[in-house]
Amino acid sequence: MGDLFFNKVAGAVIAIFLIVMGLITLAETIYHVESPETPAYPIDLAALEGASAASAEEEEEAPVDFGVLLAGADVSAGERVARRCASCHTFEEGGADGTGPHLWGVMGRDVASVSGFGYSQAMTEYAEGGTEWGFQNMYDYLENPRRYLPGTAMSFAGLRDQEERINIIAYMRTLSGDPIAIPEPLAADAPAEAESAPAEAAADAGAEAPAEETGSDEAFEDVGGTEGGEEGEFEPIEGEPQDG
């Protein structure tokens, strides 16, 4: 190689770079396109964001139809799910309190109302005003006790599966001599029925016209335990009452 070899290589690289940049500049000059002042299809981004937020909010706040879900619940499956809680709770009538309070009659019972049981402060405060264990708050509490009621002594990881929650609530509803009533199903089709009523009335009137012319928390109050490795399982802490 001669002494000028690397100089030639560097010169070639620089030349190629200059040629490419020159072509780009020439292309932008020849084919310059100005953006229109007014878009042909204007998009209201604020409206789209608002619609998305409203849709997400509606989805989050969609009511749970306990009338339908509980009517189709599997009580036997709920009893099997409840066995995970047997280390802290009793389920039979007259059962003693354990690390957690007994669960006989829990559905419809006032929160933190088992006499002599040491509930957490969070559960006691939640009970103020005569709060009862109903379908909705039990459903929410069982999904994630510590998220629903921060400060609860209940260390149960929770039941993320909706079917499991519905089944165990259906089972706990049976733990009573007088089970609370299942609500009526939500009337989701009521507006459609209301809209169709005038049309039906008009049709009926039209049909009769010729004749006239002719003649539907706390599943576990204070319960003790530490979460196990799997969701929905825990081991009790001896000597400490827990919410549940």
Side-chain angles (χ1 to χ4, degrees):
M1 296 182 184
D3 295 337
L4 299 178
F5 175 77
F6 292 104
N7 290 340
K8 293 178 180 179
V9 172
V13 171
I14 294 173
I16 293 173
F17 175 77
L18 292 175
I19 292 172
V20 171
M21 293 300 296
L23 291 175
I24 292 174
T25 303
L26 180 62
E28 290 179 349
T29 302
I30 297 175
Y31 300 103
H32 177 67
V33 178
E34 294 183 358
S35 300
E37 294 181 0
T38 304
Y41 300 96
I43 300 175
D44 189 346
L45 297 179
L48 290 177
E49 292 176 359
S52 299
S55 178
E57 185 176 351
E58 290 177 0
E59 183 176 351
E60 290 177 359
E61 296 180 357
V64 180
D65 196 341
F66 291 105
V68 172
L69 295 177
L70 288 172
D74 187 338
V75 174
S76 297
E79 183 176 6
R80 290 193 294 272
V81 175
R83 292 173 188 170
R84 306 178 191 178
C85 315
S87 60
C88 294
H89 298 276
T90 59
F91 298 89
E92 67 276 5
E93 184 175 6
D97 298 328
T99 309
H102 68 271
L103 295 180
W104 176 265
V106 65
M107 296 304 300
R109 183 170 76 194
D110 287 343
V111 173
S113 62
V114 174
S115 178
F117 186 82
Y119 292 95
S120 68
Q121 181 178 353
M123 188 63 69
T124 303
E125 292 176 353
Y126 180 60
E128 293 178 356
T131 304
E132 295 182 351
W133 283 117
F135 296 120
Q136 185 65 63
N137 62 349
M138 183 65 78
Y139 177 89
D140 295 334
Y141 183 71
L142 288 178
E143 181 178 13
N144 191 326
R146 291 187 172 182
R147 182 178 64 190
Y148 180 74
L149 189 61
T152 178
M154 174 94 156
S155 59
F156 184 62
L159 299 171
R160 305 297 189 270
D161 184 81
Q162 183 190 58
E163 185 177 1
E164 287 188 334
R165 296 201 303 279
I166 291 296
N167 287 341
I168 195 172
I169 290 173
Y171 167 64
M172 289 191 297
R173 175 181 170 273
T174 67
L175 304 179
S176 171
D178 185 20
I180 61 175
I182 294 176
E184 293 293 328
L186 299 178
D189 298 329
E193 293 175 359
E195 291 176 1
S196 64
E200 293 176 358
D204 292 341
E208 294 173 359
E212 292 178 358
E213 293 176 0
T214 57
S216 312
D217 353 338
E218 167 182 14
F220 303 82
E221 296 165 292
D222 283 334
V223 171
T226 57
E227 296 181 14
E230 298 181 2
E231 178 179 285
E233 297 181 358
F234 64 94
E235 297 177 358
I237 301 175
E238 296 184 2
E240 284 191 17
Q242 306 269 330
D243 289 332

